[in-house]
Amino acid sequence: MNQPLAPDSISWMRISSVYLPLATPISDAKVLTGRQKPMTEVALLFVELQTKDGHEGLGISYSKRAGGPGQFAHAKEIAPVLLGEDPSDIGRLWVKLAWAGASVGRSGLSTQAIAAFDVALYDLKARRANLPLAKLLGAYRDSVQCYNTSGGFLHTPTEQLLVNASASREKGIGGIKLKVGQPDRQLDLRRVEAVRKHLGDHVPLMVDANQQWDRPTAQRMCRVFEQFDLVWIEEPLDAYDHEGHAALAASFDTPIATGEMLTSAAEHGDLIRHRAADYIQPDAPRVGGITPFLKILSQADQAGLMLAPHFAMELHVHLAAIYPTEPWVEHFDWLEPLFHERLETRDGRMLVPQRPGLGLTLTDQARAWTREQVEVGKRA
C-alpha cells in the first residue's frame, strides 16, 4: 500500500522590483490626446519561491507608468503569510494573500501584487511535475496564433510601419496590430489603409484605439474600418463602457476586442454578461494571476467568446494554449532582456515552450535593473 506523501512547504521567497528601460519612448492615443506621457520603462515585480524540499518557482507581475513601487510594497507586506504553507494549495493561498490585504480591495494594485506569487506557485508546480505550464493545465495545442504590436505605435512614421510589418512577418509572426485613436481621424485611416495595401488582403490586421473615442466617434470609425476586413477593433471606448462596446459588437461585422484594463475576474464577468466583446483580452498579472485568469477563461468559453490575452507573451502563450477555441497571443519583445530563453515564432504562430513550468530564468541584466529587493524566510 502506498504511503501518503509528506507535504512540502514554502521556506523562502525573494521579491524584486525591476525596471526595464525602453529603447524608444512609446506613444499610443492616450499620449496624443494628452492623457498620459510617453512610456519610457516598465516596472516588473518578480517573486522567486523555494520550498524546504528544494523546489523552485518564478512569478511575474508588472506595471506601466505609475504603480511599480506600490506593487512591491504590497507584495513585501503580504509575503510572510505564505511561509510554511503547502505550495500545492494554490487556490487557498490566493485567498489567504487576498485576506492579508483585504482592506485595500480585491482588484487593482493589491491583486496585481498577488499575481506574482500565484504565477510562481503554478511555475513551481509545473516544474515539480516536469511539465510545461500549458501541459500541466491541460493544453489544446502546442502553438498559438500570434500578432505583433510593438511595431505599430503612433510615434512610428507610416513608412516605418511598413518596414516593421514586413520584418514581423519575416520572423514568422502572423498578424499585425496598429495603434489608432489620434485626434485627426484621417491620419488613422491613411495609416491603416497604407499597411493593408502593403500587406495584402490575406494578412491578419487589427487596430487598437486605447479607449480614446466617444460613442459617436467609435460608431463612425468602426463603420469606416469595416472595409479593411480587420480581425478586431480594440478598445474603441472606455474600458468600463460595457453597454457601448456591446452596441458596437452587435452593429458591425468587425469583432470588438476589450478587457485588458480590467483588474479582476469579477470585472470580466460583468463584461461577459453584457456581451461587450467578441474577443476578450484578460491580462493574468492585472487580474491577480493564473487562478483568477482560469475563472475568466471558463466564463468566456461558456459565453462563446474568442480569446486574445494582453501583453506578457512569456506567460500568456501557455494560458492561451489551454483555451478550447483557437486564440491569439500578443508578441511584444520588450521583456526579452529579462530572460535567458526566447519564444519561437513560425508560420504565423508562437510555439509553446516545452521546458518545465514557464521555462524562464532571469538574466544578470534583470538583476542589474533591480531597484528594490527583499528576502523572506530561509533558503533550503
Side-chain angles (χ1 to χ4, degrees):
M1 183 176 179
N2 292 331
Q3 294 295 318
L5 294 174
D8 199 359
S9 62
I10 298 168
S11 59
W12 173 85
M13 287 166 279
R14 178 161 56 201
I15 304 158
S16 304
S17 178
V18 177
Y19 278 74
L20 168 73
L22 298 177
T24 303
I26 301 301
S27 295
D28 58 25
K30 299 187 294 294
V31 174
L32 272 68
T33 57
R35 292 178 173 175
Q36 290 183 336
K37 295 180 180 179
M39 183 165 50
T40 58
E41 60 188 8
V42 179
L44 284 302
L45 177 67
F46 288 110
V47 168
E48 297 164 87
L49 291 171
Q50 190 179 73
T51 71
K52 66 179 180 62
D53 290 345
H55 297 291
E56 297 182 342
L58 173 65
I60 182 174
S61 191
Y62 75 93
S63 177
K64 296 177 180 178
R65 299 181 175 89
Q71 288 182 0
F72 176 78
H74 192 72
K76 180 174 66 172
E77 193 169 9
I78 63 177
V81 306
L82 292 185
L83 289 176
E85 290 284 2
D86 185 338
S88 294
D89 298 342
I90 300 176
R92 181 178 65 80
L93 297 182
W94 194 98
V95 173
K96 186 171 187 178
L97 289 166
W99 275 109
S103 67
V104 291
R106 287 181 285 180
S107 65
L109 185 149
S110 59
T111 47
Q112 288 162 11
I114 291 174
F117 296 99
D118 189 72
V119 173
L121 290 169
Y122 270 102
D123 182 50
L124 186 154
K125 193 168 190 175
R127 288 194 200 187
R128 189 174 55 197
N130 199 32
L131 289 171
L133 177 62
K135 294 289 187 183
L136 178 81
L137 296 174
Y140 280 84
R141 58 192 62 82
D142 293 324
S143 67
V144 182
Q145 297 178 107
C146 63
Y147 67 95
N148 176 264
T149 294
S150 52
F153 278 87
L154 290 178
H155 62 267
T156 309
T158 300
E159 296 75 16
Q160 188 63 42
L161 288 181
L162 308 184
V163 174
N164 293 348
S166 293
S168 292
R169 293 284 295 171
E170 289 168 6
K171 292 177 182 177
I173 298 170
I176 303 297
K177 189 170 82 175
L178 304 176
K179 297 292 187 175
V180 294
Q182 301 181 78
D184 185 346
R185 297 194 292 272
Q186 289 304 310
L187 286 178
D188 284 340
L189 179 59
R190 288 198 291 270
R191 284 161 66 90
V192 174
E193 190 172 34
V195 174
R196 172 52 85 202
K197 183 178 179 180
H198 175 72
L199 293 174
D201 294 337
H202 65 288
V203 174
L205 184 63
M206 306 85 161
V207 300
D208 181 0
N210 287 110
Q211 309 178 73
Q212 295 310 292
W213 293 330
D214 56 25
R215 288 189 181 186
T217 302
Q219 190 85 6
R220 293 188 183 101
M221 294 304 289
C222 285
R223 185 176 297 112
V224 168
F225 282 140
E226 291 271 67
Q227 64 183 298
F228 298 116
D229 191 25
L230 302 175
V231 179
W232 67 64
I233 297 172
E234 184 170 335
E235 286 194 324
L237 299 168
D238 183 87
Y240 292 91
D241 185 0
H242 300 330
E243 291 88 352
H245 279 117
L248 295 174
S251 299
F252 296 103
D253 293 339
T254 305
I256 299 299
T258 189
E260 71 179 58
M261 297 303 296
L262 305 184
T263 62
S264 69
E267 290 179 0
H268 279 275
D270 197 32
L271 180 152
I272 292 168
R273 284 190 296 275
H274 278 87
R275 306 296 301 183
D278 302 289
Y279 279 92
I280 193 168
Q281 297 182 300
D283 181 317
R286 280 187 177 166
V287 300
I290 295 171
T291 295
F293 191 93
L294 295 178
K295 296 178 181 178
I296 295 167
L297 291 196
S298 178
Q299 296 177 75
D301 179 37
Q302 190 153 13
L305 302 183
M306 294 172 283
L307 175 72
H310 169 254
F311 198 57
M313 64 182 184
E314 292 83 358
L315 168 60
H316 286 134
V317 66
H318 289 276
L319 301 182
I322 72 171
Y323 197 61
T325 305
E326 180 73 58
W328 286 90
V329 70
E330 187 169 25
H331 186 281
F332 264 101
D333 56 10
W334 292 359
L335 305 187
E336 287 185 347
L338 301 170
F339 307 112
H340 289 109
E341 300 79 12
R342 293 290 177 269
L343 296 177
E344 185 179 350
T345 53
R346 185 190 308 155
D347 299 327
R349 304 182 70 84
M350 186 178 294
L351 307 188
V352 179
Q354 295 305 298
R355 300 177 295 274
L358 291 172
L360 298 174
T361 53
L362 293 175
T363 61
D364 291 341
Q365 183 62 74
R367 305 294 186 193
W369 284 332
T370 300
R371 293 190 186 174
E372 295 185 89
Q373 187 171 276
V374 66
E375 295 189 27
V376 179
K378 295 182 179 180
R379 283 183 176 273

